Amino acid sequence: MNPTLTNQKIDSLNVCVIIPTYNNDRTLQRVIDGVLEYTKHLIVVNDGATDNTKNILSNYNDLTLITFTENKGKGVALREGFKKAINLGYDFAITIDSDGQHFPNDIPVFINALEQHQTKNVLFIGARNMEQESVPGKSSFGNKFSNFWFWFETGIKLQDTQSGFRLYPLQVIKNLHFFTTKFEFEIEVIVKSAWKDVDVKNIPIQVLYDENERISHFRPFKDFTRISILNTWLVFLTLVYIKPRNFFRNFKKKGVKQFFIEDVLGSYDSPKKKALSIALGVFIGLTPLWGLHSVLVIFLAIFLNLNKAIAFAFSNVSIPPFIPFIIYTSTKIGEKILGVQNTYKLDEITQNFEFVKHLKTYIVGSFTLATISACIFGVISYLFFLMFNKKNTAKNHG
């Protein structure tokens, strides 16, 4: 694309470019010169470089420079770059690494994609061709590993989640809270953006891996450990908070009737899969694992490849009005199984019920009730979905 036209679009969309750099003096000048062909709205963050970076940067007067006296990590460099861009009034920031693997002439790809996006509530990640011969095997594996966890945490499938060539919506970024400082920041920022309903998407870009000039500061053991710890925390938040939040948002927005029609009846899953999802939800919801129902049902639904929305919905069978009845029934079933006899009434469950005294019978009975109920709900729902599908098939062929 014509650099002049791209420059005009960059101005109209209020975009800047941020280059975080640390000891990449072999390629830094080439990257800066490439960016300046398209825009003067450039912020460079010198992350405590000890090579010739300072001298290279002294040759440029038309860029905004942030300098750290010591290396603080890519995450800190990006966060400070974002702060500066926000203070300068920019709405979007394109980040590009200084190690030479990215081509500044791909900047128009980001600008065109942003221009065409309807809401502008979007975060673009440049997707590299990780299958080409020059790509190191460890980079390809790391990217696939990252892609999987990003999908697990957000439900969004991407081809590349590790590329540093990105376009960020600064109006969203400024309201997010981050705690990572190194390479793992680039995972934290896209996951938290997706949780804020930002449209995170890949766009194709070029990539160059020249081992003769490229210097990577990624430390395999330390940084992989940091990323693993971050993903563990993000997965925990996903199961405990994000998935339940998204479900209740969707449920509240649609209402019971519309949710049942669209997410249960309208699901393209087979009758068997829907029925098993309901059975799983009912089973987990009736077990005595209070406080863990949401985490367990979502994890198991993912692990067993079942319908998460259906399973989660039916796991809420233990809603407050039903809890006394569930505890009472479970305890009575437990008594039958264990051969014990206790005297109490249903209304005592909500008043002075000696829970610890009846704990063993309750646990045994609740798992039994959960199993029986799951089987009953599973079979009935399977027959229902089977009849519903046949009815729809007959109607479509009629």
Side-chain angles (χ1 to χ4, degrees), residues 228-298:
S228 297
I229 292 171
L230 172 65
N231 276 319
T232 300
W233 173 244
L234 293 176
V235 166
F236 175 77
L237 289 179
T238 298
L239 296 175
V240 172
Y241 174 68
I242 298 299
K243 292 292 185 182
R245 180 204 67 176
N246 292 346
F247 170 79
F248 283 115
R249 275 184 182 176
N250 189 36
F251 189 81
K252 185 177 179 181
K253 182 179 179 181
K254 292 182 177 181
V256 177
K257 183 178 179 180
Q258 190 176 355
F259 174 83
F260 184 76
I261 292 173
E262 292 184 8
D263 294 75
V264 180
L265 294 181
S267 169
Y268 290 107
D269 291 329
S270 67
K272 179 181 177 181
K273 188 172 183 177
K274 291 179 185 178
L276 287 173
S277 301
I278 289 175
L280 173 66
V282 170
F283 177 80
I284 295 297
L286 292 176
T287 61
L289 305 171
W290 302 102
L292 298 175
H293 289 168
S294 297
V295 176
L296 285 172
V297 77
I298 292 172

Side-chain angles (χ1 to χ4, degrees), residues 11 52 72 97 114 155 230 242 253 255 270 274-275 298 312 326 361 363 372-373:
D11 288 345
N52 197 40
K72 295 184 178 182
D97 293 341
L114 177 62
L230 172 65
I242 298 299
K253 182 179 179 181
S270 67
K274 291 179 185 178
I298 292 172
F312 185 83
I326 292 171
T361 54
I363 291 175
I372 294 172
S373 300

Side-chain angles (χ1 to χ4, degrees), residues 100-306:
Q101 71 163 291
H102 300 141
F103 291 77
N105 60 16
D106 275 329
I107 287 176
V109 176
F110 287 90
I111 298 303
N112 289 340
L114 177 62
E115 184 181 41
Q116 294 167 16
H117 195 272
Q118 188 173 5
T119 67
K120 303 293 187 288
N121 185 37
V122 64
L123 190 160
F124 288 115
I125 302 174
R128 303 160 294 177
N129 179 6
M130 302 301 288
E131 303 303 322
Q132 64 188 56
E133 291 183 6
S134 62
V135 177
K138 60 182 180 181
S139 296
S140 180
F141 169 78
N143 191 54
K144 290 177 181 177
F145 179 84
S146 179
N147 294 347
F148 169 79
W149 288 115
F150 179 75
W151 165 78
F152 189 97
E153 292 151 5
T154 67
I156 301 171
K157 288 189 176 182
L158 293 181
Q159 175 188 342
D160 191 347
T161 53
Q162 291 193 318
S163 170
F165 205 172
R166 305 178 176 189
L167 183 144
Y168 290 96
L170 295 176
Q171 299 308 310
V172 175
I173 298 297
K174 72 179 183 181
N175 294 318
L176 297 177
H177 299 286
F178 305 107
F179 60 88
T180 55
T181 61
K182 306 294 184 182
F183 286 100
E184 71 274 15
F185 170 77
E186 291 183 297
I187 296 173
E188 182 185 14
V189 66
I190 60 173
V191 170
K192 289 186 174 180
S193 295
W195 286 353
K196 286 292 183 180
D197 301 319
V198 172
D199 190 10
V200 182
K201 304 181 71 173
N202 275 145
I203 53 175
I205 60 168
Q206 309 166 77
V207 65
L208 172 66
Y209 280 91
D210 188 341
E211 295 302 326
N212 294 320
E213 65 174 11
R214 180 174 180 265
I215 298 176
S216 174
H217 302 291
F218 186 86
R219 300 161 299 176
F221 179 76
K222 285 187 177 181
D223 289 315
F224 187 77
T225 300
R226 285 175 173 271
I227 290 171
S228 297
I229 292 171
L230 172 65
N231 276 319
T232 300
W233 173 244
L234 293 176
V235 166
F236 175 77
L237 289 179
T238 298
L239 296 175
V240 172
Y241 174 68
I242 298 299
K243 292 292 185 182
R245 180 204 67 176
N246 292 346
F247 170 79
F248 283 115
R249 275 184 182 176
N250 189 36
F251 189 81
K252 185 177 179 181
K253 182 179 179 181
K254 292 182 177 181
V256 177
K257 183 178 179 180
Q258 190 176 355
F259 174 83
F260 184 76
I261 292 173
E262 292 184 8
D263 294 75
V264 180
L265 294 181
S267 169
Y268 290 107
D269 291 329
S270 67
K272 179 181 177 181
K273 188 172 183 177
K274 291 179 185 178
L276 287 173
S277 301
I278 289 175
L280 173 66
V282 170
F283 177 80
I284 295 297
L286 292 176
T287 61
L289 305 171
W290 302 102
L292 298 175
H293 289 168
S294 297
V295 176
L296 285 172
V297 77
I298 292 172
F299 175 80
L300 289 172
I302 293 172
F303 181 76
L304 298 172
N305 192 30
L306 299 177

